[in-house]
Structures are given as structure tokens and as C-alpha cells.
């Protein structure tokens, strides 16, 4: 019943409204493109019919030009295709705006557990006493990354915000004007953004959405707790990667990190100043004027001058003074308004969001090699030292590192950055930057190299006020993780460091490279097993394990439905906090408005809280574990064979949009690690890897191998075991449902012409066969008639979005075909491919 109500609301508030505004948009008269809008629906129809009847993109586009467009020269046709791309991009923006505006209405009919539902359950079960401690200590950390999977500029985000408001009020004339503005506003960066640009784009959302959303959410929890009291200002925390994430990005320097920290602090001061200004209109009483005026003057200076430090005590002190005066002398008037502001200050302090430093272990190895050569411990290479001798140097030698003492820039900048972290903490507070994450951690040195860098860059024998966080993402890293952590815990110096950090060890797992390395099922199963093993080893050493999940966005990047993921964790996994990365289109689609942010944050909190508080304990039996293990190995064998196929990398390089990601002004980070002449999978960034499969509408990393694994069980007469697994193990069901989402976004008809390609036809067929098999086996496993049968809204949204971008994708494939022929206008066709990336990626929101 609820699903039917949601579907009806979706059709009324999203589908119908989009159709109305889209018709308005397609008839707007822009210079030189009067007929383009009217021809888009026709091109969409021709694309659908043509692909279904077996025509290839080249045949579809050329037939369209001859029959409908009256464009004779190739130059005119190319110009027309650019116009189509511009229109389709803006249709995606319009659809985003309509869907976002409808979000509160649709989710009124949701069966998901909100905080309100949760507190009602607590009340009903008379469980306040049992949850009080958990509520006071639990935390969800949402870490925003700069990974370029969505590209709206602040100007476009402003238009979307305006459109959402106008759509809610059905102001058709003003919507008309806003759509004209959208048509004339560039959606594409004129040049590659710098890491500071990327940071500012996300800080825009912090200021305009999260500042108030977290404050309101905290106030609601506080009210719900009532007289029991609630003082957990860390219940929802913001993390931040832009400006701190160096992994594979040579443009993130020590200076960039400092500039981003300043930007975060200054923006927060602007938020505080605006709140204080509004409060001052209400707090007109004599006794509070002095502290109010002084605080306002201090905040005003801090808003514009990064050198003007206003510490946490400088803000909270005057506010507490004002609060005491309201209680003592002014009958608590406007106390609730003041308390809301005070709570925001206690939540965000002077940092707004905690910036994480991240770097790949290979870079730290370079740094350590250079340092130990310069200081005479080795001649050329770290391998000259035994493991025990190297550990002894890292833990006990007293060195003092100075930036600019070395030949390599990466060595100097790493030392400069670690050295400046003391100053950054002094300005933004310790919470402003207190974690250092090491990508591709595979052994104890991943952590100890960073520990030594802190010792030698200003901390010496002082307490290191940073959590050192290994990121185990490869299969090898996860296999070694338990032994690595036990070896660390056995080291007295590191154990003392952990004691100084509250006996907590944060460990990051997965991220995008896990799926790229091990395939979808094996990567995710390995992550769960590794979490269980690490929970046990931490528990045995009396350490609280905190897991930080690199969730990515779509299932192919290790993502998928976030609340489903956390609700399916077993009781063997430590549940002290929920921490996850949010990026690109997931930031705007899942956490982009106040309503969305609150709803999805509540999902995180209720998933984490209900698992341990209301008796909802999830276990996986030994038989079920053995079956998941078997399936993961079978699926990995199939995926691994594909990875090692001689055409795997050439297919991506020559038949997909892979090489065009580096040409697009999408993100500041290069498309691959290092600068080897020959492209290798290990060097390939997951963004461009997964994105290229997505542009082909093949989504290989999200399902490849699952069909083969399930078919093996069916052929062995054991398919009922798989069905029982699906019905009884939430973790396995969550993975299969995420894979169905990946499959639902596939459209092999777009590239079916490739089966005739002499070089790559057989490889395309391998992909298509596994797609068909996976779809067939997953439908049989789930008992569903169609993919995502029980996720009606997501399914309908995907369908509409895929239809919007179909003309763009056909044009993209047409351009790739023309490039393959060696066309005289090759440079223009390459530009078409590059420009066509944006709309398709922006449309692929339904991922978290």
C-alpha cells in the first residue's frame, strides 16, 4: 500500500511536473538553436526505435539528419549535436530540481525508520535507560570528497535551489524565467578546477544546507530526549577531503591545505555572524549588549581576514554570559533561539568540517627513502634494512626534518605539510584536522612511516594529536589487515599513541579500488570479513575499533543504498560509529537539500542505533558463510579472467570514453596514478574506470561474475541454497539488490554494433553474455519479474533519467564511430565525446 501511494505521489509530483516544465523548456527560443528543443523528443524516439531494431548509432544519427534536421554540411551537423548536448544537460538539471522539490512529499509515504519512528519505538519498549548511553556516545561522520562525479558549479546550484522553490509554489512565469537563465548559464568549467575551487564548491553546500540542517536535527533529538538531557554534539559530524586528499593529486600542496582550512573557518564565521545578527534583533536587553557587540565585532573581523583568529572560547564564552543573563534577568525570553545557536557553535566549533589528510603509501615510501638516505641510514634503498631495524629507526631515532632539503618536490611538500599541521590545529582547533589516512595500506610500515613523519616534523616526544588511519582497499591489504594491526598493537610506542587517542583505532576499508581489484561480490564480502576480524583483534587488545567506509557512489564503486548496507552489518562488526565517504552526485542527490540531508542522516543513525539497541542482532551461520565464500570465489574467478583478458585495457582505451576523462575540465586530479607510458589497471583511477563502463551503459564492475557464480550453483542442483541465503541473510540480499541496480542501468543495445568489430567483437560478447546471465539469475534468485521490482521510485527515476540522456549517448557513440573511421573533423568529434560526459554522469544520481 505504501509503495503504491509513493508511486502515485511520484507520478503526480515528479513525472507530470517534469513533463510540463520540460515542454516549456524545449520551446524556449535561444539564439541559433530555435528548432533544437522541438527535435529532441523526436531524436529520443528515433534512438529508442533504432537501437531496438538493431541499428547502430551512426545509422540512427545519419538517418535522423537526412529525414528530420535539414542539415547538409558536416559542420552544421556537428554544431547541431553540440546544441543537443547543451539541451540534454539542462534537462537533467530541470529533472533534478523537480525530483528534489518532491522529496518531502514522496518520503511521507516511506517505510524507512526515521528518528521520530525510532524514538516512538524506544518509548513503546520503555527503553530510554538502555539507549541513553548509546545516544550520548554514538556518532555518524559524513565525509565529503572532491571526487569528480558531479559537476554543477555554484551558479547552477543557485538556479537549482531557486527552481526547487518555484516548483513547490507552481510559479509558472518565474519558472519560465529561471529556465531561460539556465539555458544561458554555462554548465561546464572553462578550465580545470583547482583543489581550492573544488573545496569552495562543497563549502557552498556546507554553508547553505548543512549548517542549518545539522542544527535543526540536533535540536529535534534534544527535544525528543526531553528531561533526560542530551549533550552529544558529535552525533552528526562532517568530514572533508578537498584540499587534504593528496592521493594521486599533485595539485594538492601544503599551501592548498592551509587555504582550504582558512576557507572553512572563514565561511563558518560568516554563518555565525548571520545567526548572531538575527539574534541581536531579538536580544534588545541592556545587560547583553556589551558581549553581543564584542562578539559581533570579532566575528566580523574573522570573516574577512584569515590572520584574525577567533578561538572557540572567544565565541562560546560571550554566548554563555548572554545565556546566564537571559535566565537571571529576562525571564528566559528567546532562550530557545539562543540555545539553538549555542548548540551550533558546540557542533562546528571553529572548524566547520574536519579535513582529512590522505596520501598513498608509495609516496610515503619515497619520502622515507629520501630521509633515511640523507641521514645516512641507507645508501640507496629501504630494502638494505631488516624489518626490525627499520621499525627501530621509525620508533626511536630522533630526527628533525626541514622542508626544501630534498631534490624531489613530493618529499619537500610532504614534510612541509606535516610540519604545518600544528599551526592548522592552533587556528581551526584540533578537530579541524586530526586524521591522516594512508591509501593502499598493506603492511605495518604503511602506518609507521606516517607515525615517524609526525615525530620528525614537530611532534618529537609530544603527544601526536592525529589519528593515523590505514586504508585497506586491495585484496592483499585486506588479507593482511588483521596481522598488520596486531603487529602494531604489539609495539609499545604505538600502543602509547593509541592510549593518547582514547584507545580508539580508526580503520578505513574498501573504497573504489576494492571493487576494481576483486570484483563486486568478493570485494564486499572481503570487507565484511575484514571488519569482523579487525573488530575481534581490536577487542582482544582493548581497543575500540571505528570503521570508516569508502562507500563511493554507485555499487560499481563500492556504494549502493547506504542505509541498507549499515542495517545489514553483523553483530561481529564493531558499531561504535558510522563513518562513510559521500561524493559527487551523491552529495547533491542524497544530501543536497536540507530535507534530504536530514532524512539520510536519520537513516544512518537509526541503522546504527537500532542494530544494537532494539535487539536487532544480525548473524550469518557457518553454512551461509561457506556459501557466500564459494560464490565470491566463483564470481572473482570470472571477473579476474576478464581483467586479464588481452583486450580488457585496449577495449577501455579504444572503445570507451576512458581517455576523454582526462580531457574534460571535471576535477583537479589526473585520471591515473603516476606517469607510465602504458596504462595499467592498478594505476587507473576508479572514477574514470567505473565512469567509462557507465558511459558505455555496461556497468561491468557492479555485477560481473555474479551470474556465473549463481549459474554454477543452479547447475549443481543447489540453487535453493542461494535462495535461502538471499531470503535470510540481509548482507547478501543488500549486495544482490545493489547489483540489480547496476544491471538496471545497463543498455547493451547502445553498443551492440561492437559485436561486429573484428578486434573487440568477441570481448563485447563476453560482457553481454554475463550481463544477460546475471540478470536472469538475479531475477530467479529474488523471485522478481523485473529488476528493482520492489524499489518502484528509484526504478522509475532511473528510467526517466536514462531516457533523457539517450540522445546524448547515441551522439557520443556516433562521435566515437566517426573518430574510429579517421574523420577529417576528428578534433571536433573528440570534443563532442568530451562534452557528452557531463550530462550522463549528472543524470546517474540514483546510486546511494
Amino acid at each position: 500500500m505504501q509503495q503504491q501511494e509513493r508511486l502515485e505521489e511520484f507520478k503526480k509530483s515528479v513525472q507530470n511536473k517534469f513533463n510540463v516544465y520540460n515542454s516549456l523548456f524545449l520551446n524556449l527560443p535561444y539564439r541559433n538553436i530555435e528548432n533544437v528543443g522541438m527535435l529532441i523528443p523526436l531524436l529520443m524516439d528515433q534512438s529508442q526505435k533504432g537501437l531496438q531494431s538493431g541499428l547502430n548509432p551512426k545509422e540512427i544519427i545519419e538517418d535522423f539528419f537526412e529525414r528530420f534536421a535539414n542539415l547538409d554540411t558536416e559542420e552544421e551537423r556537428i554544431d547541431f549535436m553540440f546544441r543537443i548536448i547543451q539541451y540534454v544537460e539542462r534537462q537533467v538539471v530541470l529533472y533534478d530540481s523537480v525530483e528534489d522539490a518532491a522529496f518531502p512529499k514522496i518520503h511521507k509515504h516511506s517505510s524507512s525508520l526515521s528518528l521520530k519512528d525510532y524514538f516512538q519505538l524506544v518509548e513503546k519498549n520503555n527503553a530510554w535507560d538502555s539507549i541513553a548511553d548509546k545516544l550520548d556516545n554514538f556518532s555518524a561522520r559524513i565525509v565529503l570528497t572532491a571526487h569528480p562525479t558531479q559537476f554543477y558549479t555554484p551558479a547552477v546550484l543557485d538556479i537549482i535551489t531557486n527552481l526547487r522553490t518555484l516548483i513547490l509554489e507552481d510559479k509558472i512565469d518565474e519558472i519560465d524565467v529561471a529556465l531561460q537563465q539556465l539555458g544561458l548559464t554555462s554548465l561546464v568549467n572553462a578550465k580545470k578546477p583547482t583543489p581550492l575551487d573544488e573545496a569552495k564548491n562543497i563549502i557552498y553546500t556546507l554553508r547553505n544546507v548543512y549548517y542549518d540542517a545539522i542544527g535543526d536535527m540536533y535540536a529535534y533529538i534534544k527535544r525528543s530526549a526531553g528531561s533526560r538531557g542530551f549533550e552529544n554534539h558529535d552525533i552528526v559530524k562532517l568530514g572533508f577531503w578537498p584540499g587534504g586528499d593528496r592521493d594521486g593529486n599533485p595539485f594538492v600542496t601544503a599551501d592548498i591545505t592551509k587555504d582550504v582550512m582558512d576557507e572553512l573557518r572563514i565561511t563558518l564565521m560568516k554563518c555565525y555572524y548571520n545567526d548572531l545578527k538575527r539574534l541581536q534583533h531579538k536580544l534588545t536587553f541592556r545587560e547583553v549588549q556589551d558581549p553581543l557587540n564584542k562578539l559581533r565585532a570579532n566575528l566580523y573581523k574573522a570573516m574577512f581576514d584569515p590572520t584574525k583568529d577567533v578561538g572557540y572560547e572567544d565565541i562560546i564564552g560571550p554566548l554563555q554570559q548572554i545565556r546566564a543573563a537571559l535566565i537571571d534577568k529576562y525571564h528566559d525570553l528567546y532562550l530557545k533561539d539562543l540555545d539553538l545557536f549555542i548548540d551550533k557553535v558546540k557542533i562546528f566549533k571553529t572548524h566547520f568540517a574536519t579535513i582529512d589528510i590522505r596520501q598513498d603509501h608509495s609516496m610515503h615510501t619515497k619520502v622515507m627513502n629520501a630521509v633515511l638516505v640523507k641521514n645516512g641510514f641507507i645508501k640507496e634503498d629501504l630494502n638494505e634494512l631488516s624489518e626490525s631495524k627499520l621499525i627501530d629507526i621509525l620508533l626511536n631515532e630522533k630526527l628533525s626534518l626541514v622542508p626544501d632539503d630534498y631534490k624531489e618536490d613530493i618529499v619537500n611538500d610532504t614534510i612541509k605539510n606535516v610540519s604545518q599541521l600544528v599551526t592548522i590545529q592552533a587556528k581551526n582547533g584540533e578537530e579541524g584536522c586530526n586524521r591522516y589516512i594512508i591509501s593502499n595500506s598493506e603492511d605495518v610500515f604503511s602506518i609507521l612511516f606516517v607515525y615517524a613523519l609526525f615525530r620528525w616534523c614537530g611532534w618529537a616526544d609530544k603527544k601526536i594529536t592525529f589519528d593515523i588511519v590505514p586504508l585497506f582497499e586491495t585484496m592483499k591489504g585486506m588479507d593482511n589487515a588483521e596481522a598488520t594491526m596486531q603487529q602494531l598493537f604489539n609495539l609499545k610506542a604505538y600502543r602509547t599513541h593509541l592510549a593518547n587517542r582514547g584507545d580508539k583505532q580508526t580503520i578505513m576499508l574498501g573504497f573504489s579500488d576494492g571493487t576494481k581489484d576483486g570484483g563486486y561480490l568478493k570485494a564486499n564480502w572481503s570487507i565484511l570479513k575484514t571488519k569482523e576480524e579487525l573488530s575481534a583483534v581490536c577487542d582482544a587488545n582493548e581497543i575500540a575499533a571505528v570503521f570508516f567506509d569508502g562507500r563511493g557512489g554507485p555499487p560499481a564503486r563500492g556504494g549502493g543504498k547506504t542505509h541498507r548496507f549499515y542495517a545489514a552489518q553483523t553483530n561481529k562488526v564493531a558499531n561504535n560509529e558510522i563513518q562513510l565517504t559521500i561524493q559527487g552526485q551523491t552529495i547533491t542527490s542524497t544530501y543536497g537539500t536540507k530535507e534530504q540531508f536530514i532524512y539520510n542522516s536519520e537513516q544512518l543513525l537509526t541503522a546504527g542505533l537500532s542494530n544494537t539497541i532494539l535487539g536487532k542482532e544480525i548473524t550469518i551461520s557457518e553454512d551461509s558463510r561457506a556459501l557466500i565464500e564459494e560464490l565470491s570465489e566463483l564470481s572473482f574467478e570470472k571477473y579476474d579472467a576478464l581483467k586479464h583478458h588481452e583486450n580488457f585495457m585496449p577495449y577501455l582505451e579504444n572503445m570507451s570514453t576512458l581517455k576523454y576523462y582526462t580531457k574534460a575540465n571535471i576535477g583537479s586530479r589526473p585520471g591515473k596514478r603516476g606517469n607510465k607510458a602504458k596504462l595499467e589497471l592498478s594505476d587507473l583511477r576508479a572514477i574514470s574506470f567505473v565512469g567509462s563502463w557507465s558511459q558505455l551503459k555496461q556497468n561491468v564492475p557492479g555485477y560481473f561474475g555474479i551470474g556465473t557464480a549463481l549459474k554454477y550453483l543452479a547447475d549443481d542442483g543447489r540453487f535453493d541454497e542461494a535462495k535461502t541465503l538471499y531470503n535470510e541473510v540481509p548482507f547478501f540480499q543488500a549486495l544482490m539488490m545493489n547489483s540489480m541496480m547496476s544491471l538496471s542501468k545497463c543498455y547493451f543495445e547502445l553498443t551492440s554494433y561492437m559485436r561486429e568489430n573484428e578486434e573487440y567483437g568477441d570481448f563485447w560478447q563476453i560482457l553481454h553474455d554475463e550481463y544477460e546471465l546475471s540478470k536472469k539469475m538475479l531475477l530467479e534468485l529474488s523471485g522478481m519479474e523485473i529488476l528493482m521490482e520492489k524499489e518502484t521510485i528509484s526504478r522509475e527515476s532511473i528510467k526517466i533519467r536514462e531516457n533523457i540522456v539517450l540522445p546524448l549517448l547515441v551522439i557520443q557513440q556516433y562521435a566515437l564511430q566517426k573518430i574510429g573511421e579517421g574523420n577529417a573533423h576528428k578534433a571536433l568529434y573528440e570534443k563532442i565525446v568530451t562534452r557528452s560526459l557531463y550530462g550522463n554522469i549528472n543524470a546517474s544520481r540514483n546510486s546511494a
Side-chain angles (χ1 to χ4, degrees), residues 543-695:
I543 302 292
V546 175
F547 292 114
F548 178 18
D549 294 294
R551 292 288 296 150
R557 293 205 63 211
K561 296 286 184 183
T562 300
H563 59 89
R564 192 155 64 201
F565 170 80
Y566 283 110
Q569 300 291 288
T570 69
N571 61 349
K572 290 184 178 182
V573 175
N575 185 34
N576 299 302
E577 284 188 36
I578 281 178
Q579 299 189 4
L580 76 163
T581 53
I582 299 292
Q583 66 201 40
Q585 83 271 39
T586 316
I587 293 176
T588 50
S589 67
T590 313
Y591 295 85
T593 68
K594 189 174 174 181
E595 293 84 3
Q596 288 170 326
F597 180 89
I598 290 174
Y599 173 83
N600 286 294
S601 296
E602 285 187 3
Q603 294 297 292
L604 290 180
L605 290 174
T606 56
L609 291 167
S610 59
N611 279 5
T612 52
I613 292 166
L614 299 178
K616 188 183 171 188
E617 295 216 333
I618 295 171
T619 59
I620 303 177
S621 70
E622 289 307 314
D623 286 347
S624 294
R625 285 174 179 274
L627 188 56
I628 297 174
E629 187 72 40
E630 184 181 0
L631 288 168
S632 82
E633 287 303 321
L634 288 166
S635 68
F636 174 66
E637 282 171 24
K638 181 72 175 176
Y639 177 74
D640 197 48
L642 184 77
K643 261 191 348 181
H644 289 97
H645 192 288
E646 61 181 1
N647 276 336
F648 185 77
M649 289 307 295
Y651 179 83
L652 276 175
E653 286 188 275
N654 299 315
M655 303 301 281
S656 83
T657 58
L658 180 65
K659 66 182 79 166
Y660 298 97
Y661 270 81
T662 56
K663 296 180 181 182
N665 293 328
I666 289 171
S668 67
R669 192 164 63 170
K672 65 186 181 82
R673 293 182 175 99
N675 49 15
K676 294 177 193 165
K678 185 182 177 187
L679 184 63
E680 294 177 13
L681 183 61
S682 57
D683 297 325
L684 193 57
R685 305 263 17 150
I687 289 284
S688 45
F689 175 71
V690 171
S692 298
W693 290 116
S694 173
Q695 298 278 336

Side-chain angles (χ1 to χ4, degrees), residues 20-227:
V20 169
Y21 301 137
N22 190 39
S23 62
L24 187 70
F25 175 64
L26 292 178
N27 285 299
L28 289 175
Y30 294 122
R31 188 165 53 90
N32 299 329
I33 49 173
E34 286 84 357
N35 297 320
V36 175
M38 290 181 282
L39 288 171
I40 284 177
L42 189 57
L43 179 56
M44 184 191 295
D45 184 59
Q46 292 298 109
S47 298
Q48 284 173 335
K49 288 176 179 171
L51 291 171
Q52 290 296 333
S53 64
L55 296 178
N56 69 48
K58 189 179 173 201
E59 291 167 330
I60 292 166
I61 294 294
E62 290 181 350
D63 180 62
F64 176 80
F65 281 138
E66 285 169 21
R67 293 173 58 198
F68 303 108
N70 272 337
L71 299 168
D72 299 321
T73 70
E74 193 157 13
E75 289 84 355
E76 286 177 320
R77 291 179 172 191
I78 288 170
D79 184 63
F80 177 84
M81 286 187 284
F82 275 116
R83 306 298 178 193
I84 290 278
I85 290 169
Q86 290 170 336
Y87 254 99
V88 170
E89 286 173 340
R90 286 161 177 79
Q91 280 182 289
V92 173
V93 173
L94 174 59
Y95 186 77
D96 284 349
S97 304
V98 173
E99 196 168 65
D100 289 349
F103 182 87
K105 285 183 181 177
I106 291 168
H107 283 279
K108 272 183 188 171
H109 307 290
S110 171
S111 58
S112 302
L113 190 68
S114 68
L115 277 174
K116 182 180 178 183
D117 300 328
Y118 177 74
F119 288 133
Q120 284 175 351
L121 275 171
V122 170
E123 201 74 57
K124 183 180 169 186
N125 291 313
N126 199 22
W128 276 107
D129 290 343
S130 62
I131 72 143
D133 184 57
K134 190 73 177 178
L135 202 57
D136 284 343
N137 292 287
F138 194 74
S139 175
R141 185 191 294 245
I142 297 163
V143 181
L144 308 160
T145 81
H147 295 149
T149 52
Q150 191 272 347
F151 322 106
Y152 294 143
T153 61
V156 176
L157 290 172
D158 279 334
I159 293 171
I160 291 175
T161 302
N162 185 36
L163 273 171
R164 275 198 299 258
T165 305
L166 297 174
I167 288 164
L168 280 170
E169 297 169 8
D170 282 322
K171 293 186 174 178
I172 196 82
D173 291 337
E174 290 177 54
I175 290 169
D176 186 27
V177 174
L179 290 175
Q180 290 183 55
Q181 179 191 0
L182 175 63
L184 298 168
T185 301
S186 174
L187 268 68
V188 180
N189 295 314
K191 57 184 181 179
K192 276 190 180 291
T194 66
L196 184 58
D197 293 331
E198 290 172 331
K200 285 180 177 178
N201 274 4
I202 298 176
I203 290 171
Y204 170 97
T205 309
L206 262 68
R207 181 179 182 180
N208 291 289
V209 179
Y210 302 164
Y211 176 74
D212 284 328
I214 293 178
D216 289 355
M217 191 173 170
Y218 186 86
Y220 174 73
I221 298 172
K222 199 172 177 179
R223 284 197 307 274
S224 299
S227 60

Side-chain angles (χ1 to χ4, degrees), residues 811-829:
I811 285 171
Q812 182 186 93
Q813 287 298 318
Y814 170 71
L816 287 168
Q817 284 179 282
K818 296 292 270 187
I819 293 163
E821 293 173 356
N823 188 278
H825 295 90
K826 183 183 175 187
L828 284 171
Y829 283 115

